[in-house]
Amino acid sequence: MLEKDKYTERLLDDVLKMQPSYSLPEDFASKMAIKVNKKMVFQQYLRDFLIYFLAILGIAGVSIGILFYIHSDIWQNLMNMVKSNMVLVGGIAFIIMFVLFIDKVLLPYFYHTSIKRVY
């Protein structure tokens, strides 16, 4: 067992001392860092958007629950009003979420990627 470990250690030393048969470009590390940075930044912005989205959804759910509890007698009238204006309510919700997505994900991402970095 000890002889096998010595052979492996010697082989590893020889391999690490040899020059590789290929070469990487001079700016390989900076290009790789930029690619990884862009991917990580986009994931962070998307995670922030999802947190905002879930927070807004939670606040809306709690508000609707409180409204139902306090005004249970007029709940049916409110539901009929929402149902009759479903296109308007859906459009407003879509516009709000679209603006939030643009504000929290796309604008910061494009700003971040447009900055020229010097490494």
Side-chain angles (χ1 to χ4, degrees), residues 53-117:
F53 175 72
L54 293 175
I56 290 171
L57 200 62
I59 291 170
V62 168
S63 300
I64 289 172
I66 291 172
L67 182 66
F68 177 71
Y69 181 73
I70 294 174
H71 299 290
S72 60
D73 51 337
I74 62 168
W75 182 250
Q76 198 65 352
N77 292 338
L78 292 174
M79 283 304 294
N80 287 336
M81 183 182 71
V82 170
K83 285 181 185 177
S84 65
N85 297 315
M86 187 57 83
V87 173
L88 181 63
V89 171
I92 290 172
F94 176 76
I95 288 173
I96 289 171
M97 295 317 303
F98 181 74
V99 168
L100 183 66
F101 181 77
I102 295 293
D103 184 49
K104 295 298 175 193
V105 177
L106 293 182
L107 288 177
Y109 177 73
F110 288 140
Y111 176 74
H112 181 79
T113 57
S114 69
I115 296 173
K116 300 293 183 195
R117 299 205 186 310

Side-chain angles (χ1 to χ4, degrees), residues 24-58:
L24 296 174
E26 292 293 324
D27 59 346
F28 175 77
S30 62
K31 284 182 180 179
M32 188 57 65
I34 289 171
K35 284 183 182 181
V36 169
N37 191 12
K38 283 182 182 180
K39 185 174 181 179
M40 290 178 67
V41 163
F42 185 73
Q43 289 175 348
Q44 180 63 39
Y45 290 146
L46 196 57
R47 191 175 305 121
D48 289 348
F49 166 73
L50 290 175
I51 289 170
Y52 275 96
F53 175 72
L54 293 175
I56 290 171
L57 200 62

